[in-house]
Amino acid sequence: MIHIDIMSKEKVHIEYMLNTASGNIIWNMISTPSGLSNWFADEVTAQDKIFTFQWGKSEKKTAELINQRAGSFVRFHWKDDIKSKTYFELRMDYNELTGDYTLVITDYSEPNEQSDLKELWNSQIEDLRRVCGL
């Protein structure tokens, strides 16, 4: 008999300083299919609140936009994730002292996969910085 241990996912927060005063550029990049397809996935389409993300020719995932506040954050739930309380969130925080934005990522991973998740986000954010010239 095969025993599968189902671990509970843990919330992971990662913050990235973006050193830019242009919140509109960042907001467009995290909240629109065209912006997300510039750095997060190869192609992103949306119909109503369902976003389809495609990487390469074969990897495709869908997520539901479950919450957002214009100019602040977007929160998605992967449709294939059976844990209903998990999500990934992209949040812009503005620092009035420096005039810069911080992009705060909230995501979930298995406890033994947190470093892999952070590496993936680090790579994605490097793409975002390159595309935006940050």
Side-chain angles (χ1 to χ4, degrees), residues 3-132:
H3 177 352
I4 299 174
D5 183 21
I6 300 176
M7 295 184 220
S8 62
K9 290 189 173 186
E10 295 179 356
K11 189 184 286 189
V12 177
H13 289 284
I14 314 167
E15 293 187 15
Y16 298 94
M17 290 296 298
L18 295 180
N19 303 322
T20 180
S22 183
N24 290 336
I25 292 171
I26 299 165
W27 178 247
N28 181 59
M29 293 303 239
I30 68 172
S31 67
T32 66
S34 62
L36 288 162
S37 66
N38 281 321
W39 67 279
F40 184 75
D42 295 330
E43 185 177 338
V44 181
T45 56
Q47 185 165 3
D48 297 322
K49 292 186 173 198
I50 304 300
F51 282 61
T52 302
F53 300 87
Q54 185 169 338
W55 297 269
K57 294 188 187 286
S58 58
E59 188 177 353
K60 189 181 280 192
K61 288 183 79 170
T62 57
E64 181 179 4
L65 178 65
I66 56 173
N67 200 356
Q68 78 171 17
R69 181 177 305 133
S72 180
F73 74 91
V74 290
R75 183 180 293 177
F76 296 94
H77 173 74
W78 292 115
K79 300 293 276 176
D80 64 354
D81 192 339
I82 57 173
K83 298 187 184 337
S84 63
K85 300 226 184 283
T86 62
Y87 58 87
F88 73 97
E89 180 180 272
L90 309 170
R91 176 182 297 272
M92 295 175 19
D93 286 339
Y94 181 69
N95 183 326
E96 291 187 22
L97 287 173
T98 64
D100 294 331
Y101 281 91
T102 302
L103 186 61
V104 180
I105 309 293
T106 302
D107 204 346
Y108 287 79
S109 76
E110 301 296 343
N112 60 343
E113 296 176 354
Q114 287 189 3
S115 64
D116 291 341
L117 179 70
K118 288 178 181 178
E119 282 182 34
L120 175 65
W121 278 111
N122 287 343
S123 173
Q124 298 296 96
I125 297 304
E126 284 307 310
D127 288 346
L128 174 65
R129 289 176 200 246
R130 182 180 41 75
V131 168
C132 294

